[in-house]
Amino acid sequence: MSAKWVRSRAWDDANISPSLWPVKSVLRALSSISLAIVLLVMVVVYVTLASVPIGMLAQLPTWVVYGLLATILLCLVAILPAYLFGRIARGRGPGLRFTGITLIVLAMTPLAGWIWLTYVWPLLHYDPVTGKGLMLFADFCSQYRSTTLRRLPGLEMTELQFYSWWPLRVILLVFVLNMVVATVRRIEFSVPNIGVLTVHTGIVVITLGSLYYGALKQEGDTLLLSGQPGADGVPQIGPPQEFFYDSTDLSLYVGQQLGYEERPLEDVPRYNDYNVGAFVGESALETARRALPWNTHEDPRAVRRALEREVPAGGTAFVDQDLSFRVVGFSAYAEPVQDWRRVDMAAMTSVPPTFQPSPLRVLYLISDLPDDKGVVSDKPAFSFILLPGIPADRVSALAGMLAVEYTVGMSDQRWNDLGTRLNAGIQHGLVVEIPAAEGREGLRAVINADARDLPIRQSVGGD
């Protein structure tokens, strides 16, 4: 304890009345070295949570159990015999006793390791495939084995947001206050202590700098355009860019005929699925895939996560002010898929005159081939979705290997086109139709779709 700290404590006792004990307690805490150690440990824990998946952190209790069991085995096999020998050889001289204990520990420790690796560890080691072995919170560890804390539902933060979050700011601010108070009340301001004072000053400056950096840092992307090529063919400097796309702040771009306006989004997800099944009603894909053997529906845990975020109104004249939007669902990884929804015509309040409902037809492919376990499934192997009312959707293909076309009500002309023979080696044909014009007859032909012999020019050249 330094002399200055002794004087500081004496000053506290003499000048701070007992009724102000909370002030005295806070002052003593900010003057302590223990508080600085605790705060630094909290920073280390915070950084660990930001970088290490929580599924790995959840395995720590299991490894503690492994370590305790290994320690117990070592004590039983090596430490206990050495302890018993020491008790027996207590009256035979310290040299013999020390030598015997050392030899027993050195000889029995490899035996304990052999017992552990041969008999104990095979029983304890957890196999995620079979589920055998010891692993506390196994489902949690497996589900979040590559997920950090900031990616969990309810947090949904980028790395930049997590490091600038208020808990870390509070810890660092308290650490700065603790460092300043402890330095002033514990260390003499003298030339011999110039090194310690300089180090403490540097720590405070670095901490305040990190707070400033985390609060104001921005990350994003911008598009840099090159200029027109010069006389030497090298592109010149392009136009300057006045904006960038922020990677932290999200926005919804809404556009009508006049242009787009940006509407900022607050508290929206980033990494997890929310309310994926928000759309009411059954879709064509759900109808077609219901009979398939594999699970084609979304994770029920994602569907149960509610999401309701209002999008603020725009402030420009590009979009009508009476248009409002809500974010009701989110998918972390999704690909656009064309789908159709069942429409109840009787429940529709207003139907546009040009609206025509399109019927849905589903054709299931049945296979009697056994799977890898030798079992023949009684469920369809694939479903072909066909919409006869939409010409482009009358055909449904299976990975380019098999295609089905809906032909009910097909015209004779279409049948003739499909029956046209193509040249050897040609897999596709092209129907070319040129309407009749004044002084010229119309033309309709099925030609080979092969770029090597230019069939179009040969068939329709001339006129």
Side-chain angles (χ1 to χ4, degrees):
M1 182 181 299
S2 65
K4 188 175 182 179
W5 177 230
V6 174
R7 296 196 306 269
S8 298
R9 291 171 59 92
W11 186 92
D12 297 342
D13 297 336
N15 295 277
I16 301 178
S17 61
S19 60
L20 296 177
W21 64 266
V23 177
K24 183 178 180 180
S25 300
V26 172
L27 186 60
R28 290 284 178 88
L30 292 176
S31 305
S32 66
I33 300 175
S34 302
L35 178 60
I37 297 175
V38 171
L39 293 173
L40 290 177
V41 171
M42 294 175 64
V43 172
V44 172
V45 172
Y46 193 94
V47 173
T48 302
L49 292 176
S51 306
V52 181
I54 59 173
M56 295 179 61
L57 297 177
Q59 297 180 15
L60 292 178
T62 304
W63 286 99
V64 170
V65 174
Y66 292 161
L68 291 176
L69 294 177
T71 303
I72 293 174
L73 178 62
L74 179 63
C75 291
L76 293 176
V77 177
I79 305 301
L80 182 59
Y83 172 76
L84 295 177
F85 175 81
R87 298 275 301 194
I88 295 174
R90 176 174 296 178
R92 299 187 180 182
L96 177 62
R97 185 183 177 194
F98 175 79
T99 303
I101 292 175
T102 303
L103 292 177
I104 291 175
V105 171
L106 293 177
M108 301 304 290
T109 298
L111 177 61
W114 178 80
I115 295 175
W116 172 268
L117 295 176
T118 305
Y119 297 103
V120 182
W121 181 244
L123 297 176
L124 295 177
H125 180 62
Y126 178 74
D127 187 353
V129 178
T130 61
K132 296 181 179 179
L134 175 63
M135 177 59 68
L136 303 177
F137 321 112
D139 294 338
F140 182 87
C141 295
S142 176
Q143 181 180 356
Y144 298 107
R145 63 183 180 274
S146 59
T147 305
T148 54
L149 178 66
R150 62 181 177 83
R151 291 175 174 262
L152 287 179
L155 293 179
E156 305 279 357
M157 295 183 182
T158 64
E159 188 176 41
L160 176 60
Q161 289 176 319
F162 190 74
Y163 278 112
S164 60
W165 198 21
W166 67 265
L168 183 59
R169 293 186 184 182
V170 171
I171 294 174
L172 293 178
L173 285 175
V174 175
F175 175 74
V176 169
L177 186 60
N178 174 219
M179 181 66 66
V180 172
V181 173
T183 301
V184 171
R185 290 169 56 84
R186 283 177 171 271
I187 301 175
E188 298 282 357
F189 287 86
S190 60
V191 175
N193 292 332
I194 191 67
V196 177
L197 295 174
T198 303
V199 170
H200 285 203
T201 303
I203 293 176
V204 170
V205 172
I206 292 174
T207 306
L208 293 177
S210 65
L211 287 170
Y212 178 81
Y213 176 81
L216 299 181
K217 180 183 179 182
Q218 290 182 318
E219 292 181 350
D221 299 296
T222 189
L223 181 63
L224 297 179
L225 302 176
S226 63
Q228 295 296 325
D232 55 356
V234 178
Q236 303 298 312
I237 298 177
Q241 299 297 318
E242 299 178 352
F243 61 90
F244 74 99
Y245 297 96
D246 195 290
S247 62
T248 301
D249 298 330
L250 304 180
S251 299
L252 175 67
Y253 286 85
V254 183
Q256 283 182 291
Q257 295 181 353
L258 297 178
Y260 287 89
E261 69 177 17
E262 181 181 4
R263 299 189 177 185
L265 302 177
E266 298 290 342
D267 194 24
V268 291
R270 291 179 180 271
Y271 305 109
N272 300 277
D273 294 338
Y274 287 78
N275 203 19
V276 176
F279 204 101
V280 179
E282 185 178 13
S283 72
L285 292 178
E286 293 171 346
T287 302
R289 295 174 177 175
R290 189 183 302 112
L292 298 180
W294 54 82
N295 183 16
T296 60
H297 298 284
E298 298 293 339
D299 186 353
R301 290 170 300 199
V303 176
R304 286 198 298 265
R305 298 194 190 110
L307 181 63
E308 184 75 18
R309 299 289 186 271
E310 294 289 341
V311 179
T316 67
F318 293 154
V319 179
D320 295 341
Q321 297 301 312
D322 58 348
L323 293 177
S324 61
F325 301 89
R326 291 179 300 126
V327 180
V328 298
F330 178 82
S331 179
Y333 297 97
E335 296 180 358
V337 176
Q338 187 177 15
D339 199 359
W340 300 266
R341 292 283 173 174
R342 185 186 300 275
V343 176
D344 185 2
M345 297 295 297
M348 296 183 65
T349 57
S350 61
V351 181
T354 59
F355 177 78
Q356 293 293 333
S358 180
L360 172 69
R361 299 291 182 266
V362 181
L363 180 65
Y364 291 106
L365 176 64
I366 307 299
S367 174
D368 59 357
L369 298 177
D371 56 16
D372 53 356
K373 299 181 180 179
V375 179
V376 178
S377 176
D378 57 349
K379 294 185 177 182
F382 187 77
S383 58
F384 296 92
I385 302 176
L386 306 168
L387 284 88
I390 305 176
D393 294 317
R394 293 174 183 168
V395 179
S396 180
L398 169 59
M401 298 181 294
L402 177 64
V404 175
E405 181 175 355
Y406 189 88
T407 61
V408 176
M410 182 179 292
S411 64
D412 294 338
Q413 183 63 60
R414 175 62 176 165
W415 277 113
N416 294 333
D417 294 339
L418 293 177
T420 303
R421 290 184 175 274
L422 302 177
N423 295 342
I426 304 300
Q427 298 182 355
H428 303 282
L430 184 66
V431 178
V432 177
E433 183 175 1
I434 302 177
E438 184 178 355
R440 184 180 65 184
E441 297 183 357
L443 172 66
R444 180 183 178 88
V446 178
I447 60 178
N448 300 309
D450 190 352
R452 292 175 298 180
D453 53 7
L454 301 176
I456 296 180
R457 180 170 297 180
Q458 296 177 4
S459 301
V460 300
D463 296 338

